[in-house]
Amino acid sequence: MSAIAGIFHLNKEPVSMEHANNMMGILRKFPANDVRTWIKDSTFLGCHAQWITPESINEQLPYYHHERQIAITADAIIDNREELFNQLNIEKSLGLVIPDSQLILLAYDKWGENCPKYLIGDFAFMIWDDKNQKLFGARDPSGYRTLYYYNDTTKFAFCTTIKSLLALPYVEKKLNESWLAEYMAISGMIDTVDASTTPYQNINQIPPFHSITVSRTNIKLNKYGQFNPEKVLKLKSNGEYIDAFKDVFQKALKSRLRTYRNIGSHLSGGLDSGAVVGFAARELKHQNKLLHTFSYIPPSDFKDYTSNHLMPNESPFIKKTVDYVGGVSDHYYNFDGVDSYSELNSILDMNEMPYKFFENSFWLKGIFEKAQLEEVGILLNGDNGNLSISWGNAFYYYSELLKKIKWFRLAKELNQYSKNVGGSRFRNLPVILKMGFPGVRKTKSNMSKSLVINQEFAKRTGVFDKLQQFGLNETGWFSGNNLNQQRRMVYDAICPWNAGNTFNTKLSLHYSLWKRDPTNDIRVVQFCLSLPDEQYVQNGMDRALIRRSTENILPNEIRLNQKIRGIQAADWVHRIAPHWDSLIEEMKELNADERMLKYFNKEIIDSALRKAEEGPQREQISNPDYRNLTQSLMVYRFIKNNF
């Protein structure tokens, strides 16, 4: 619940208070309940604390344990407290008041550098071990809290924010071209495949699911666990799978309700956020608490151009969920007059790096602003549910049945699917055949030529070779159609949520509230990854696990809906249309800037500009030229503003 900072001089030189104050001074722009520092000889720790949980009120951070001679500064909410009480032999009466940072310290005292394996929650922490003269720290499995660091032969410094590190006189501000190449070469929503890098050449970050050990002679990163389970879970019946899922999901969600403030949640008209709200509201009723929901809707002058199976304004479905669940105070915001173009500098400054979710960035920030006004401490969401609780692509599953020659089951499934969705039961066979038997693919792709990255820059940095090492091709995603394999790669290889969680950390600091996602709780993810495929697609239902698990929790109109899908970015071109000429002029500046063109593909920018000069086509939200413009704009602004 804090921003943390620290300095460790490897050469035993005393830490300068001026340098410590420089780091902490940058954090003053964030709200704080308490600010403290601890310094001993060559080591400094600092904490800019925001109290979120009851146990964090008046928590002393940094905290030094004199008997054990270890100190900690932490940005953490630990969710498996009761489990840790038993493992650490903590008295029940003490367990009611002990803060999470001291739990981490006791875990380190018992398990040493293996302690992160025993922690569940959202955390980033650093421990100074005075006896062994070393720093030890870790970041949670999903990277929900940021932890950046700088090191050279004599100094190591860390902080929740990059700007605090740049405030140190010996940290040079220099663009990391390797990071930039990855960001520009990946056309999808992943920012980089190497989660240890940042846009700054001399500043790295501890990757999700990693710990760091810093001694006077060595720095070591260690991955302390993985999401993917070792074996498939085999239960006796569908009912047992549902009961087991509800148990683990409810436990994950309940542990995320620990705050002395109000509790909120993002809510769309879909399954993931609906499931979070349904389970949370049920738990809060036992506590006589109200759940505040926050929903985004298009601006008042937006005219819906989408097809019948898409829903830009999800408020009718949202209201169905709210009315069915009960115990909810629902809030709807259209943010009239606000857009991602006019908010871009604010977003870049807050995030400290480019952010690929250009279309949604302004309203995600806006939801935090509104939640702060409602005195929310915890803001729930279901952002990562697509890969966990609502996994289940029907066509992929049917293609697997086809390959395994399970034709009777396939015919039965297709028949039921057609009843659920409508249309002929065999009309989707061409798609299923293509997924199951994609044919021979060309070994070389021309996709790289349509990307915004300059080809010479790409060759110089070797970026496409690096992407291939992580299984990504030049389209910015995995090769092949094995979705299950890709899902496992996502969790334990490339950490795609690192970028989104970076944004959430920075938003939480600005508005003093935590966004928390039970769908990516490690217990939930490991459970979901252990299930057999048929739990995710059955009886003509995709995303079957969460649909069956929310019976009597969500209304059937939401739970069983396979015909209408919400689309939250349908209005993004409409919103920035008033700034269209400014966007074009700014991109023309980029196209004339020789310093920038060594990074950007001029031909692609030219093509995108020609399309843009036709005027904003509000319905072409997925136009690749538009996307090339906005992604180039974000990188251009970032470089221009910072280097």
Side-chain angles (χ1 to χ4, degrees), residues 213-232:
T213 304
V214 185
S215 69
R216 298 195 186 278
T217 59
N218 187 39
I219 294 177
K220 179 182 67 176
L221 283 169
N222 176 59
K223 188 174 184 184
Y224 59 82
Q226 65 177 29
F227 280 104
N228 284 295
E230 294 180 356
K231 57 184 179 180
V232 174

Side-chain angles (χ1 to χ4, degrees), residues 415-416 632 641:
N415 185 56
Q416 190 62 50
S632 300
N641 293 348

